[in-house]
Structure formats: C-alpha cells, structure tokens
Amino acid sequence: MNHPAELAIHQYMEDAVKGNSTMSDATIKQVATDISDALKRQFGGGNKRGDFKLRMSNVGRPTCQLWYEKNKPEVALPFPTTFVMNMMLGDIVEAVFKGLLKEAGVQYEDTDKVTLDCGDTNVSGSYDLILDGAVDDIKSASDWSYRNKFESYDSLASGDGFGYIAQLAGYAKAANKKAGGWWVVNKANGAFKYIPATGLNVDEEINKIKKTVNIIKENKFEKCFQPVPEKFRGKETGNQVLNDGCRFCSYRFDCWPTLKELPAVKSQAKNPPIISYIGEVCAA
C-alpha cells in the first residue's frame, strides 16, 4: 500500500463485508447529493460538450488534439451512446469513494474550484480532494488501465494522453498545495489503490501547461506524433501504423486521411486484432 488511508478504507470495507459497518446519515446524504448533482450535470441539458476552452482537465492533452477541438470540432468521431453513462459511472465512483473515506475516519478537504494564472489566460478546474495537505484526484479505470496504465507513476507518465499529470500539477499549483497522487478504482471489480505522484515535477509541468496555452493562442497546427512501423513476430512488415498517442483521438481520421482500421494483415489468428494503418497496406 502507498498511503495510510488505504488501510483505513480496507478495514472499513472488511467490516462492511462482515455486516459490522455503519454509515452515517450525513455521509449518505452527501453521497446522494453528489450523485444528484452529477445526474443534473450529465443529463440535465445545457451541457454543450463541444464548446472549446482550456481547462485543467484538457490542458495536458496533445496540442494537435486541442487545435482540432478549437478549430474543427465538427470532424470529430461522434461520442458513442454509452459516453454519458461512462461519465456518470465515474461521478458515482467519486461520490461513493469520498463517502468511504469519510466513514473510514480519513479527514480530507472536499472539492473546490481553482484557477491557474498563465499570463493573460487563466486555466480553471475543480480538484477532487486535499488529503494530508496534498491534492489528490479520483479516477475510475477499466481493468486494463487499472493493471497497466495505473501500475505506477512511471507507467502513467509513459503514455499520459489524457493529461492526468498536468491536471494534477495544475490543481496543486493553483491551490498552493503539494501534488499527492491518484486514487484509482477498478470499474470491473471494485478494487482500489493509491498511485503517488512521486516523480512529478510541478514547476516543470506548469511550464508545459504555459507552453500549451501559448501554442493554442498562436493557433498553429502541428502534429505531435508520427506513424510507426508495424511489427509482426519482431520483424517490420513494411507497413506504417498509427502512433499510440493518436489511438484514442476523435480526430484521427481527419488528421490522417489515409488511415484505415483493418484486421492485422499478417495475423493468422481466427479473430485478428484491429490495426490502424497509415498509407498503403502490404499484406504479402
């Protein structure tokens, strides 16, 4: 375990499994209120998801993606019908997890809106909580992300396409607090853990944020990633495939006009994986 509060929560959950736990009416009311607010936010209308603005939640993303969000939002792949439900699940996880912290006797400061001064542009957002004088974020994750992406700070930093590190650094700087880490809950089975931001250099991340702000202000498009060679059984096939940094980008088809998502041409599996090819595809 990476945080003392983890043990407190596990002890509370053990009591719950045995039927020996209690939950105060105040905590139940707060959890219900947080979920109610989330339902209104996600389903209540007036939530224009396409309106562009630099926020703590997006300022760490690749600048090419941010350029598209600002200038060509209409070419984005449509959100799946499950998108809002997935967002709602994250809101529910956060609300319940805070309730567990409270009932486990863990003292924390609840969410608050903060603003980071980036010269003539401000970047705002609301952190999740402050625990032991440090800003923490609560993330719900798929089983794969829980085991791989959120394995450690280094594994997160090696492929942080959603900008979670910049987000935490921005919150910490704006709140004048230390950067703590991430409470991560596995949506598949309810497992949870704490990933401390032990390698995070806040000042370095803030400089990156300010650089992003300037790039978006200049409004110049430049691709952040390039295609990489496809490999099959350790050998290059001669094909080019989409960089992992572009994998979840909603603008990838417009950014890469020759992009084709096909079953792996070299695979002999009954159900080959889908590969994002760039340019001409050689199957021989």
Side-chain angles (χ1 to χ4, degrees), residues 31-106:
V31 171
T33 298
D34 289 346
I35 294 175
S36 175
D37 290 344
L39 285 166
K40 293 172 184 175
R41 183 171 63 252
Q42 299 294 353
F43 293 97
N47 187 1
K48 296 182 179 180
R49 303 180 191 279
D51 289 354
F52 178 80
K53 184 179 181 180
L54 284 176
R55 309 176 302 276
M56 292 290 193
S57 59
N58 69 5
V59 75
R61 295 182 181 181
T63 53
C64 49
Q65 180 181 339
L66 294 173
W67 183 91
Y68 263 100
E69 289 182 9
K70 178 181 179 181
N71 294 280
K72 297 180 69 176
E74 70 280 1
V75 302
L77 294 172
F79 289 122
T81 55
T82 55
F83 174 78
V84 179
M85 177 62 81
N86 196 43
M87 297 292 288
M88 193 66 224
L89 288 174
D91 291 330
I92 293 171
V93 166
E94 179 182 335
V96 173
F97 192 80
K98 285 181 177 180
L100 297 180
L101 283 171
K102 188 169 291 185
E103 290 302 308
V106 178

Side-chain angles (χ1 to χ4, degrees), residues 140-185:
S140 56
S142 68
D143 183 61
W144 186 94
S145 291
Y146 185 86
R147 292 183 291 106
N148 295 277
K149 182 176 181 178
F150 288 105
E151 194 275 330
S152 66
Y153 173 81
D154 289 338
S155 63
L156 175 60
S158 68
D160 186 26
F162 291 103
Y164 293 150
I165 292 173
Q167 182 183 23
L168 187 69
Y171 287 148
K173 185 71 173 181
N176 195 28
K177 300 288 184 180
K178 296 182 295 183
W182 297 268
W183 292 97
V184 189
V185 181

